[in-house]
Amino acid sequence: MGDARRDWRTWRAATEEALYGAEGFFRTQAPAAHFRTSVHVSPAFAAALLRLARTVGARTVVDVGAGRGELLRALHDLDPDLQLVGIEVAERPAGLPASVRWSADLPEELDGLLVANEWLDDIPVDVAELDDARVPRLVEVDAATGDERLGDPVGAEDLAWLADWWPLADGPPGARAEIGRPRDLAWAEVVRRLRSGLALAVDYSHVRWRRPPAGTLRGYRAGRPVAPVPDRSCDITAHVAVDAVARAGERAGADETLLTSQRAALTALGVDGARPPLAMAGSDPVGYLRALSRAGEAAELVAPGGLGDFWWLAQAKFAPAGTRAGSRTVDLRQALGEPDPPTALSPSPSSRTPPSASSVE
Ligand SMILES: C[S@@+](CC[C@H](N)C(=O)[O-])C[C@H]1O[C@@H](n2cnc3c(N)ncnc32)[C@H](O)[C@@H]1O
């Protein structure tokens, strides 16, 4: 194709348009049709979050990037008195309980538990690459084909982010980094609006001492990893630089931070993947099979190399004494156990789980 006819944009701009523009992927496609998150894997995930909400005294749960409201429905079934709010660019899904609020925008102020499960990884980022002179340049992509070329040198704010969080300077020509600054900004806005309570981000992530040298940009479609082509036909995602996001939350006013693995957090919240005793198969075969299936789902939530190696970033804010929201403090270690961050660069870059066959449209 002649270069004049190509639509070259930075990865951030191209992904923004492909996922969230008119007819964008997430406006027209249910995430569950393309991959399975913890929310879809097991009702034990919602039950654990309900336990967390109660532990921190939250009567409101806000789900940021709420997909088709699956987590909110599950929470409503477990406790119809909870106040539930979904924040999502897609339209309100049909059949959501009437009491569940649904909006495209975060409220200006919120108290309670805010959950962002696999939200940050879908906030579009730019990609930087060292050219032959080892100058970091923005990578541009042709939206129709996914072909790439090097564009302008990286600007000052992004260069500063790279220096702090993903230093490229010592790398060879061709070394790449995903510039997580838009995720930091988005999370800081969440924490800023939280008056009191807990903000929880759950995602596949990496930290500064273990950034993947070639990056993690991926596409997902119908249960399979595919080449990331920003043509609206697939999700485009990249692992989250979770340490940078945590620092942004602290700068936005978080009083306490805990970074741990989903395995450690869910275990502390009572998720148990142990199989039922075999003797039960004789006395209550139907109950045994049901318990076995529940145990299998719970085990998937905490599996090494999979969902169990997702990172949990929990940041609490305590309302000043005397305000309407109270002065309740939150003991994150008591709620989520001692921090036990994933040690491997895991889950692997093809970390998304295929949807169950019935949910692929
Ligand atoms: C990977 S899906 C996760 C859905 C759900 N949280 C789950 O765990 O199954 C990410 C969702 O975040 C939504 N999203 C991304 N950026 C958003 C924003 N700025 N405001 C509202 N929703 C957003 C997308 O539309 C998509 O539904």
Side-chain angles (χ1 to χ4, degrees):
M1 192 190 290
D3 214 48
R5 292 176 52 202
R6 302 254 213 170
D7 180 16
W8 293 109
R9 301 182 192 197
T10 72
W11 267 107
R12 183 180 177 190
T15 308
E16 188 69 45
E17 175 67 22
L19 298 187
Y20 305 115
E23 304 299 311
F25 181 79
F26 278 124
R27 290 190 188 275
T28 59
Q29 304 283 314
H34 295 273
F35 46 84
R36 221 150 41 114
T37 69
S38 296
V39 171
H40 315 120
V41 163
S42 168
F45 188 71
L49 291 177
L50 176 60
R51 197 162 305 133
L52 180 60
R54 289 180 175 157
T55 304
V56 303
R59 294 303 307 150
T60 302
V61 179
V62 181
D63 185 6
V64 182
R68 291 301 181 269
E70 296 92 336
L71 175 63
L72 297 169
R73 287 177 215 262
L75 287 168
H76 179 79
D77 288 348
L78 291 167
D79 181 352
D81 292 333
L82 272 180
Q83 292 176 37
L84 298 169
V85 185
I87 309 297
E88 173 54 59
V89 296
E91 285 182 10
R92 182 185 179 92
L96 200 64
S99 61
V100 176
R101 284 184 282 148
W102 192 263
S103 167
D105 302 308
L106 278 173
E108 185 50 42
E109 287 187 333
L110 45 111
D111 300 294
L113 173 62
L114 181 140
V115 180
N117 188 58
E118 295 202 30
W119 173 57
L120 290 170
D121 71 87
D122 270 320
I123 295 181
V125 289
D126 268 326
V127 177
E129 183 174 317
L130 288 185
D131 67 13
D132 289 342
R134 299 178 61 230
V135 173
R137 309 252 304 266
L138 286 178
V139 178
E140 294 181 342
V141 59
D142 172 26
T145 60
D147 291 348
E148 293 182 335
R149 70 176 187 186
L150 294 188
D152 290 337
V154 172
E157 285 178 313
D158 285 342
L159 272 182
W161 189 93
L162 288 171
D164 284 346
W165 297 110
W166 196 326
L168 276 178
D170 298 335
R176 285 166 74 114
E178 290 136 11
I179 306 171
R181 207 164 58 83
R183 284 124 179 229
D184 299 0
L185 293 171
W187 186 249
E189 194 54 31
V190 162
V191 173
R192 187 186 69 73
R193 291 178 189 222
L194 184 69
R195 268 193 324 175
S196 71
L198 186 63
L200 171 67
V202 179
D203 232 307
Y204 34 84
S205 306
H206 42 60
V207 286
R208 189 180 151 133
W209 53 272
R210 238 189 140 115
R211 303 283 186 227
T216 57
L217 203 64
R218 294 287 181 282
Y220 283 90
R221 182 189 311 124
R224 285 195 318 277
V226 294
V229 180
D231 61 358
R232 304 190 184 99
S233 73
C234 61
D235 182 16
I236 308 267
T237 168
H239 283 43
V240 176
V242 69
D243 42 359
V245 174
R247 177 70 57 81
E250 286 165 355
R251 289 195 174 132
D255 292 308
E256 198 180 327
T257 296
L258 188 139
L259 269 168
T260 193
S261 66
Q262 170 149 306
R263 179 170 41 259
L266 287 184
T267 303
L269 290 166
V271 173
D272 181 3
R275 297 161 75 99
L278 201 56
M280 190 181 166
S283 59
D284 176 9
V286 174
Y288 175 76
L289 285 179
R290 210 175 291 132
L292 198 58
S293 152
R294 276 199 304 265
E297 293 169 356
E300 188 175 340
L301 287 179
V302 296
L307 293 171
D309 281 331
F310 275 39
W311 287 68
W312 280 41
L313 165 62
Q315 296 197 300
K317 255 183 142 172
F318 313 134
T323 61
R324 194 161 52 85
S327 61
R328 185 187 175 88
T329 58
V330 177
D331 184 339
L332 291 182
R333 282 182 158 75
Q334 198 182 4
L336 298 171
E338 284 303 311
D340 182 19
T343 48
L345 174 61
S346 57
S348 71
S350 58
S351 52
R352 279 206 155 139
T353 319
S356 53
S358 60
S359 56
V360 179
E361 284 161 353

